[in-house]
Amino acid sequence: MNWTTRPEAAADIPAIRAINRAAFPTPAEAGLVDALRADPEAWLPGLSLLATDDSGTAVAHALLTRCHIDDTPALALGPCAVVPERQRTGAGTAAVRAALDAARAQGERFVVVLGHPAYYPRFGFTRASAHGIRLPFDTPDEAVMALSLTPADTPPPGTVRYAAPFGV
């Protein structure tokens, strides 16, 4: 399957909500996406990406929003979601790659993710603790990863400060 990726448009909001509702066991992630979209300090135009199938139906979503590592601007990746019947088809990978490419094109430097340690290294993420990066709550060390979007940069040490809608 060839996935087409593109930034979200206003007309995509219901589809993005549906993708997140289908992919997660509760509506919390769908609500988080809506709350992040409404937060002008978190939301960055062009960094909410969709993967669509050959018919143009959105099946995967990847979101990058503003966070900080101490005082250094960075991005938080997530939620990332794929409708269950299209999981393990490359749709999620396409959406995440498109989001990271868009962030790189916008001059962003660093991304952090709290996610599955076997999935995110394919995009270049490495254990955040190796860079001295911590989260403001307890979580398994291997699930917290960081990525530099420019080869010359190394993610800075510090504590991640998420946007207010994350509630942490």
Side-chain angles (χ1 to χ4, degrees):
M1 171 69 65
N2 283 335
W3 301 106
T4 300
T5 59
R6 61 178 175 77
E8 83 165 47
D12 296 316
I13 292 172
I16 291 168
R17 192 174 296 118
I19 292 166
N20 280 279
R21 297 266 329 235
F24 293 102
T26 74
E29 283 80 5
L32 175 59
V33 172
D34 290 339
L36 287 164
R37 190 181 289 111
D39 183 337
E41 292 183 23
W43 191 257
L44 299 166
L47 296 185
S48 175
L49 279 288
L50 294 167
T52 61
D53 65 16
D54 292 335
S55 71
T57 301
V59 300
H61 177 242
L63 179 61
L64 289 163
T65 54
R66 175 67 65 219
C67 70
H68 291 82
I69 303 170
D70 282 349
D71 291 328
T72 302
L75 299 172
L77 175 59
C80 297
V82 181
V83 294
E85 60 272 16
R86 295 300 182 94
Q87 291 175 359
R88 294 175 179 69
T89 64
T93 296
V96 171
R97 285 196 195 287
L100 294 173
D101 288 346
R104 195 175 287 112
Q106 290 187 20
E108 296 290 340
R109 297 172 58 206
F110 308 112
V111 182
V112 294
V113 66
L114 173 58
H116 198 285
Y119 183 74
Y120 290 97
R122 74 182 67 185
F123 305 105
F125 284 92
T126 58
R127 197 176 290 221
S129 62
H131 304 286
I133 298 171
R134 302 168 300 286
L135 295 187
F137 51 86
D138 287 335
T139 192
D141 184 61
E142 66 274 8
V144 183
M145 293 162 272
L147 171 70
S148 174
L149 293 172
T150 56
D153 283 331
T154 301
T159 300
V160 176
R161 287 189 296 116
Y162 287 97
F166 280 98
V168 294

